[in-house]
Amino acid sequence: DLQVAFEQQLADNKQQAELDKRKREAAKKKAKISALLKKAHRQFSANKLTSPGGDNVAETFKTIMEIDPSNGAARDGFNQIADQYLALAKSRSQKDIQKSIDMIDRGLQIMPLHAGLNAYRSMLVDEKIKQDALNKRRNDQERAIQALVSQADKQFAAKRYTSPAGDNAFETYQRIQTIASKDKRVQRGFEKIAGAYLKLAKQKMANNEYKRS
């Protein structure tokens, strides 16, 4: 009976030791997760969402998930990161569409199926296509105007102010006006031509007076 009781006591002690060990490990695990969650909160507040490497919220949440795959705070945290990237993208979209798209792509690396990010990215891509097309038209138009301004300058330098037809500064400025009616270079060009004719008129008047004298 003593032998049986002794063996039972050993078994109970072993079981208790194992139970105590599990409790210590659970407490240690809980403390580590608690510390990591506090770290994640600081990183989120500092907007360290996915960078810099080694010090960002995403990596901290991944570490928590490795310790506790069912941790709800970490799972929710990934969604919060995606939501924050969406907010950042919306705050910047009017300034730089491409930067907003890049911001959304960072969020999608964390939550690929995030509905808000995917919907906003689609909208921004459509907007960027329109913006790129508009910028191209503006650039093409500016190149065309610059070429015509250069042509008008040469015609003016050759004193082809309003003639011959088809090759004079006035007609060239009129062509610019059809492309961009409010372009200030057109008005300056017309004024320059008028100034040249006024100068010629004054010179002619001066020459006539000289001959009369």
Side-chain angles (χ1 to χ4, degrees):
D1 290 343
L2 288 174
Q3 181 65 30
V4 172
F6 179 72
E7 289 177 356
Q8 182 61 47
Q9 185 62 45
L10 285 177
D12 290 344
N13 290 343
K14 184 177 180 181
Q15 186 177 15
Q16 185 62 45
E18 184 63 27
L19 183 61
D20 291 342
K21 180 182 178 182
R22 289 179 182 177
K23 286 182 178 179
R24 288 194 301 271
E25 288 176 349
K28 185 178 179 180
K29 177 180 176 180
K30 184 178 180 180
K32 186 172 184 180
I33 289 174
S34 178
L36 287 169
L37 286 172
K38 289 178 181 178
K39 179 182 179 182
H41 179 74
R42 291 193 300 270
Q43 291 167 328
F44 193 89
S45 297
N47 218 33
K48 296 178 179 178
L49 304 180
T50 55
S51 63
D55 183 20
N56 63 75
V57 190
E59 289 182 16
T60 301
F61 282 140
K62 286 177 183 177
T63 301
I64 294 173
M65 293 294 287
E66 289 170 0
I67 299 171
D68 180 12
S70 62
N71 189 278
R75 284 201 306 270
D76 292 343
F78 287 122
N79 199 61
Q80 289 173 3
I81 293 172
D83 288 343
Q84 182 66 1
Y85 271 124
L86 178 58
L88 289 170
K90 287 183 176 180
S91 71
R92 299 184 182 187
S93 61
Q94 298 301 319
K95 299 175 183 176
D96 191 327
I97 291 179
Q98 186 56 56
K99 283 187 179 179
S100 291
I101 292 174
D102 293 342
M103 198 69 65
I104 287 176
D105 287 343
R106 292 184 193 178
L108 289 173
Q109 289 177 356
I110 302 299
M111 296 285 287
L113 301 179
H114 190 279
L117 285 173
N118 281 292
Y120 199 62
R121 188 184 195 284
S122 179
M123 187 200 77
L124 285 179
V125 168
D126 289 343
E127 185 64 28
K128 188 173 188 303
I129 290 172
K130 294 176 184 177
Q131 189 182 80
D132 288 346
L134 177 61
N135 288 338
K136 184 179 184 303
R137 286 197 298 273
R138 286 174 176 171
N139 290 336
D140 290 345
Q141 177 179 294
E142 180 57 25
R143 280 194 292 270
I145 290 173
Q146 287 179 358
L148 288 171
V149 168
S150 178
Q151 179 180 329
D153 286 343
K154 291 176 182 177
Q155 291 165 332
F156 186 88
K159 298 184 179 181
R160 296 197 297 270
Y161 306 134
T162 55
S163 64
D167 183 18
N168 63 76
F170 183 78
E171 289 182 14
T172 302
Y173 282 121
Q174 283 184 318
R175 286 177 63 190
I176 297 173
Q177 195 172 38
T178 61
I179 298 172
S181 59
K182 296 182 180 180
D183 195 299
K184 293 180 180 179
R185 287 167 290 190
V186 173
Q187 186 59 36
R188 288 199 296 267
F190 288 153
E191 289 174 355
K192 191 165 66 170
I193 292 170
Y197 274 121
L198 180 60
K199 184 178 179 180
L200 287 173
K202 287 180 177 180
Q203 288 176 346
K204 187 175 182 180
M205 288 176 62
N207 289 337
N208 290 337
E209 288 178 2
Y210 176 76
K211 288 178 180 177
R212 285 198 298 270
S213 63

